[in-house]
Amino acid sequence: MGDFVYRLLSHEEKLRKNITEELTITRVDELIHKAIMLCASDIHVQPEEQYARVRYRIDGILYDQESLPYQQYAPIISRLKVLAALDIAQLRLPQDGKIRVEVSSKGNGQALTIDLRISTFPSMYGEKMVIRILDRSQGVRTLQELGLADESLSRVKNIINNPHGFFLLTGPTGSGKSTTLYALLANLNTAERNIVTMEDPVEYNISGIMQSQVNIQAGFTFDNGLRCLLRQDPDVMMIGEIRDKTTVQIAIEAALTGHLVVSTLHTNDAPGAITRLIDMGVEPFLINATVTGVLAQRLVRVLCNHCKLECAPYDGALQIAQQYDAKLERLFQARGCAHCRQTGYKGRMGLFELLVFDDQIRDLVIQKASCEKVRQQAIAASMITLAQDGIAKINAGQISFEDFLCVVGQ
């Protein structure tokens, strides 16, 4: 990240202050400012043959914006690369950078600090740029705000309040794992605990926690960083992601020696984490000795409370719910209004599946049983599946059946 904070002014603020700038600076500021005001999580600038396509990701969905004339595209990309301290002459290799901006808030005019993660990637017609927007003013969510069912929330708290063990969050990219990880840390953050993290990158700062960021260019990797963290007298270790055999071995070692370790893993569901760990070379007896639980999750759009419309469940929806051993009682449809920018949705929430390790699950781990056998045993022990959690949220009028199918499938 650069050593400066870029002050981002809206078009109206520039008019009031009689500020005139060249077109490129103005277009860059407008591009970012509009995305922040719309609560977008990402900006995509993708060059095509005749123009550059611009899209904002809002509540997980990409929406087309006004395209850029091709003659403006290259100067805008260069401007953003300069702000992110990237090499503007390098067009053939991917690059990553950061920009910190200050922007007036929507309400009281106070400045908000926004972090922008810049990623470029060469394509047929030029560099595509994706800008991830991290609004530090939003703060870290609490566990109660994530959308966990009461029973699952109680179980998660019991698991992480153990003084040692290995607790995993799983799901595909963009499923909200980092948000849940920070909520776990915030819940554990007390004066009696020394909490240390190893992240790539640090997305939110939490006061009272020692957070470290990987720096590959400086030789500060997950491997050597985690080994040194064990000498920092930690009570709780957070590893941003289990990426390889070395990382998981260090996590297992830490959990075995009396630390609580929380991390993330890319699997489709909670039982799949067991197979993934075994594939990474972890012996089943070590999994049983350390892993206390696995929380799988997905993100789904929340229906706008101002315009959602209740309707009777149709036969196809009832049959799908029955396949998941759940009862569908009612449906709500998205309509669209001024409050949700005519989309019918406002915000997102999680769908969760918590696998708690008990004696029966550990027996299946030793046997290297299939994911399906582990799943059946977990359900018999009252695990709420992703689909069942989703259908409960449909019945509560929080999400639509269409979005449920997009996230969970049939």
Side-chain angles (χ1 to χ4, degrees), residues 78-109:
S78 294
R79 166 73 175 167
L80 287 163
K81 289 172 76 172
V82 167
L83 292 174
L86 300 180
D87 183 358
I88 62 172
Q90 179 56 266
L91 307 177
R92 296 179 294 179
L93 292 175
Q95 296 188 74
D96 295 301
K98 306 170 189 175
I99 308 171
R100 178 168 292 181
V101 302
E102 282 187 356
V103 60
S104 296
S105 69
K106 305 168 197 175
N108 54 25

Side-chain angles (χ1 to χ4, degrees), residues 337-401:
C337 66
H339 294 279
C340 59
R341 302 181 307 277
Q342 306 302 324
T343 65
Y345 300 92
K346 196 168 182 64
R348 289 190 290 175
M349 70 188 314
L351 304 184
F352 297 95
E353 176 178 280
L354 177 63
L355 172 64
V356 179
F357 273 57
D358 56 20
D359 290 341
Q360 289 75 27
I361 296 295
R362 290 189 173 93
D363 286 343
L364 292 174
V365 172
I366 289 295
Q367 299 167 24
K368 295 186 178 181
S370 67
C371 287
E372 186 55 33
K373 286 186 177 180
V374 174
R375 170 174 290 280
Q376 290 172 0
Q377 176 56 46
I379 291 173
S382 73
M383 180 181 81
I384 301 172
T385 66
L386 284 166
Q388 290 169 341
D389 190 35
I391 290 171
K393 289 178 167 71
I394 293 172
N395 290 331
Q398 295 172 305
I399 66 174
S400 70
F401 189 77

Side-chain angles (χ1 to χ4, degrees), residues 184-255:
L184 292 173
L185 293 183
N187 185 268
L188 290 166
N189 190 16
T190 63
E192 295 80 20
R193 291 189 179 102
N194 178 29
I195 302 177
V196 297
T197 77
M198 195 74 191
E199 307 173 57
D200 184 23
V202 173
E203 295 188 11
Y204 293 98
N205 296 330
I206 304 178
S207 177
I209 293 178
M210 190 197 82
Q211 296 173 264
S212 303
Q213 182 164 307
V214 169
N215 187 335
I216 303 296
Q217 293 179 337
F220 187 44
T221 65
F222 267 108
D223 295 355
N224 56 36
L226 287 173
R227 295 188 187 282
C228 294
L229 274 187
L230 288 171
R231 296 193 279 273
Q232 288 290 313
D233 186 30
D235 297 300
V236 180
M237 288 179 59
M238 186 271 262
I239 304 171
E241 182 183 345
I242 298 297
R243 299 187 173 190
D244 51 37
K245 185 176 181 178
T246 302
T247 309
V248 73
Q249 285 176 338
I250 296 171
I252 292 289
E253 177 186 340

Side-chain angles (χ1 to χ4, degrees), residues 1 26 116 128 134 158 163 226 231 241 248 289 304 397 402:
M1 182 155 48
T26 300
L116 307 177
K128 178 179 179 180
L134 299 172
N158 287 337
L226 287 173
R231 296 193 279 273
E241 182 183 345
V248 73
C304 175
E402 291 74 20

Side-chain angles (χ1 to χ4, degrees), residues 150-361:
D150 291 341
E151 184 178 350
S152 296
L153 177 62
S154 177
R155 289 182 175 184
V156 167
K157 287 183 175 180
N158 287 337
I159 290 172
I160 64 173
N161 281 318
N162 287 324
H164 54 82
F166 189 16
F167 185 62
L168 277 165
L169 305 176
T170 74
T173 301
S175 59
K177 298 188 297 297
S178 295
T179 299
T180 303
L181 207 53
Y182 281 111
L184 292 173
L185 293 183
N187 185 268
L188 290 166
N189 190 16
T190 63
E192 295 80 20
R193 291 189 179 102
N194 178 29
I195 302 177
V196 297
T197 77
M198 195 74 191
E199 307 173 57
D200 184 23
V202 173
E203 295 188 11
Y204 293 98
N205 296 330
I206 304 178
S207 177
I209 293 178
M210 190 197 82
Q211 296 173 264
S212 303
Q213 182 164 307
V214 169
N215 187 335
I216 303 296
Q217 293 179 337
F220 187 44
T221 65
F222 267 108
D223 295 355
N224 56 36
L226 287 173
R227 295 188 187 282
C228 294
L229 274 187
L230 288 171
R231 296 193 279 273
Q232 288 290 313
D233 186 30
D235 297 300
V236 180
M237 288 179 59
M238 186 271 262
I239 304 171
E241 182 183 345
I242 298 297
R243 299 187 173 190
D244 51 37
K245 185 176 181 178
T246 302
T247 309
V248 73
Q249 285 176 338
I250 296 171
I252 292 289
E253 177 186 340
L256 282 171
T257 52
H259 306 87
L260 175 63
V261 181
V262 293
S263 188
T264 69
L265 192 65
H266 288 282
T267 65
N268 289 326
D269 55 16
I274 297 171
T275 304
R276 179 79 177 110
L277 289 174
I278 291 174
D279 289 344
M280 295 176 80
V282 182
E283 293 292 340
F285 75 91
L286 288 176
I287 295 175
N288 282 344
T290 56
V291 178
T292 51
V294 181
L295 183 67
Q297 66 179 82
R298 297 288 191 280
L299 282 180
V300 62
R301 292 185 295 175
V302 177
L303 286 164
C304 175
N305 282 324
H306 292 91
C307 63
K308 63 185 179 183
L309 178 67
E310 184 173 359
C311 57
Y314 54 91
D315 290 342
L318 292 170
Q319 291 171 4
I320 292 172
Q322 289 174 358
Q323 292 174 7
Y324 290 121
D325 196 23
K327 184 179 180 182
L328 187 63
E329 298 169 350
R330 55 181 184 165
L331 290 179
F332 287 83
Q333 291 181 341
R335 286 199 299 175
C337 66
H339 294 279
C340 59
R341 302 181 307 277
Q342 306 302 324
T343 65
Y345 300 92
K346 196 168 182 64
R348 289 190 290 175
M349 70 188 314
L351 304 184
F352 297 95
E353 176 178 280
L354 177 63
L355 172 64
V356 179
F357 273 57
D358 56 20
D359 290 341
Q360 289 75 27
I361 296 295

